[in-house]
Amino acid sequence: MKIGLIDVDGHNYPNLALMKLSAWHKKRGDEVKWYEPLFDGFPKEPLDRVYESKVFTFTPDFEFPINAKEVIRGGTGYFYPDGGEELPDEIEHLSPDYSLYGITKTAYGFLTRGCPRGCDFCIVKHKEGTKSRKVANLHEFWNGQKSIVLMDPNILACNQHPDLLKQLIESGAKVDFNQGIDARLLTPKNISLLKEVNIKEIHFAWDDPKDEEIIIPKLKLFKTETDIREREAIVYVLVNFNSTFEEDLHRVYTIRDLGMTPYIMIFDKDKTKSTDPVRRLQSWVNNKRIWFKNQNMKFEEFDRRIRSDNR
Ligand code: SF4
């Protein structure tokens, strides 16, 4: 079969589903290529099948005609919020074809899927369900690469996480938990395992101000047990969702006092104006050159200075 692949979002970030589809078709002896009529010319004969994958709803659709007997679309960009049909098991559990993106040093994948939190702003419950379950061993998608990017939504919520963390430790590879770690589920036992994983920096989130009593003792425990440097422990702060500006500031200052680094995430940012307080807060907190220069500064002082500079 002649197979065409379209990564509608562009080629900036590898699309796991397309890499697995490519691996499966190549294993069958099919010819697999990117479908790029702009570079390769419009195919004279129809391809047997073209896969179009789109992760983000805001990405504009593929703009060229597709000459194929069959076109299969997938991804949350097309089927929001559940992502449409899942890949069949025999494809899902194949090692991705990293060569599609010319990737040689990094492995990408999921060890677990699902998250029990069901946060209102998050699509994981629709896509992967509300139970965190193991879906793979590390060797399914890692074969010695120096880095691993894990896309698990909440690895600590899976009851097999100690074994999975041990697999990551044994790999010796640099690990990026790119969806962060759920601070509420930290325990002395999993912290001692996380300490052994080769991590450059770790991300937590304090999305809901009401979680203070659960999150803060856990973050303190992590800080004490690991003595992690401030710049290496990032805590995302969701704003513009269910919090007041005072609560946003309180979270920012509390994280700073803990010796960790806050990072502002604005919900529905494109609906805010650059002059909104949350946008001004973001330009202060997320600009690490300014942030680390004066660790005693309050937001009001930063804001006053910016406004007087702009006059
Ligand atoms: S904890 Fe994270 S992954 Fe889980 S539902 Fe909330 S935002 Fe999504």
Side-chain angles (χ1 to χ4, degrees):
M1 286 173 82
K2 284 189 189 317
I3 305 295
L5 302 176
I6 304 174
D7 179 346
V8 183
D9 303 291
H11 292 202
N12 298 329
Y13 198 84
N15 181 306
L16 204 52
L18 290 180
M19 289 196 289
K20 288 181 181 182
L21 285 163
S22 170
W24 186 75
H25 277 289
K26 283 182 179 172
K27 209 169 131 207
R28 281 170 36 108
D30 298 334
E31 188 186 314
V32 182
K33 281 174 72 177
W34 289 117
Y35 185 86
E36 293 178 316
L38 199 60
F39 299 109
D40 300 335
F42 191 69
K44 291 192 182 70
E45 299 293 325
L47 301 187
D48 293 296
R49 187 181 296 164
V50 165
Y51 294 97
E52 265 190 297
S53 177
K54 187 157 96 91
V55 174
F56 303 108
T57 47
F58 53 79
T59 306
D61 215 349
F62 188 68
E63 55 183 327
F64 303 101
I66 299 174
N67 189 9
K69 292 176 195 155
E70 186 183 14
V71 177
I72 299 181
R73 287 181 154 191
T76 21
Y78 287 126
F79 303 98
Y80 184 86
D82 66 6
E85 256 182 68
E86 291 177 3
L87 292 178
D89 271 1
E90 59 172 324
I91 302 179
E92 176 63 32
H93 292 288
L94 280 179
S95 184
D97 174 12
Y98 295 113
S99 72
L100 201 56
Y101 290 87
I103 297 168
T104 54
K105 295 188 179 140
T106 307
Y108 292 80
F110 291 84
L111 294 171
T112 65
R113 297 265 194 177
C115 173
R117 300 281 180 204
C119 302
D120 290 341
F121 53 87
C122 176
I123 59 168
V124 168
K125 57 179 177 290
H126 304 289
K127 273 185 79 170
E128 300 179 12
T130 51
K131 182 169 174 24
S132 175
R133 63 204 187 277
K134 177 179 169 183
V135 293
N137 285 310
L138 184 59
H139 274 285
E140 191 170 297
F141 58 90
W142 174 78
N143 53 27
Q145 291 93 333
K146 288 188 176 148
S147 308
I148 296 166
V149 175
L150 269 196
M151 291 135 117
D152 299 36
N154 194 341
I155 190 169
L156 295 192
C158 172
N159 56 14
Q160 284 165 279
H161 76 265
D163 171 56
L164 297 172
L165 292 179
K166 281 179 198 153
Q167 293 184 26
L168 293 168
I169 295 167
E170 278 157 22
S171 77
K174 193 158 273 288
V175 178
D176 172 5
F177 293 96
N178 86 345
Q179 299 302 303
I181 291 290
D182 189 340
R184 295 160 287 193
L185 298 174
L186 289 170
T187 62
K189 195 171 162 211
N190 59 32
I191 292 174
S192 73
L193 289 169
L194 283 167
K195 259 166 81 173
E196 301 292 315
V197 182
N198 183 358
I199 303 173
K200 187 165 159 264
E201 57 181 36
I202 191 159
H203 298 95
F204 302 107
W206 182 4
D207 295 323
D208 187 342
K210 293 186 205 74
D211 284 342
E212 177 158 7
E213 279 181 23
I214 311 164
I215 282 193
I216 297 309
K218 296 288 189 172
L219 290 178
K220 274 188 185 155
L221 177 71
F222 188 81
K223 180 80 183 173
T224 323
E225 298 280 316
T226 60
D227 201 22
I228 192 164
R229 290 172 61 221
E230 185 175 2
R231 287 172 189 263
E232 291 165 0
I234 320 291
V235 185
Y236 292 125
V237 176
L238 182 74
V239 301
N240 198 38
F241 185 68
N242 59 358
S243 58
T244 64
F245 192 65
E246 285 65 36
E247 287 170 330
D248 299 341
L249 282 179
H250 173 70
R251 282 180 290 163
V252 164
Y253 296 142
T254 308
I255 292 162
R256 181 168 73 180
D257 293 344
L258 277 173
M260 294 188 169
T261 303
Y263 191 92
I264 300 290
M265 304 286 279
I266 303 180
F267 182 76
D268 262 350
K269 185 174 176 180
D270 44 357
K271 293 193 184 136
T272 61
K273 294 198 288 292
S274 63
T275 48
D276 286 352
V278 286
R279 293 281 289 272
R280 301 194 324 260
L281 181 66
Q282 186 181 51
S283 24
W284 176 48
V285 175
N286 293 6
N287 184 331
K288 295 310 170 202
R289 209 163 46 85
I290 298 174
W291 176 256
F292 285 116
K293 206 168 165 187
N294 186 346
Q295 283 282 273
N296 296 315
M297 195 190 263
K298 293 277 180 193
F299 170 70
E300 293 73 16
E301 188 186 338
F302 164 81
D303 208 32
R304 229 177 3 254
R305 285 190 197 177
I306 293 292
R307 281 164 186 253
S308 66
D309 286 353
N310 289 341
R311 261 185 218 132

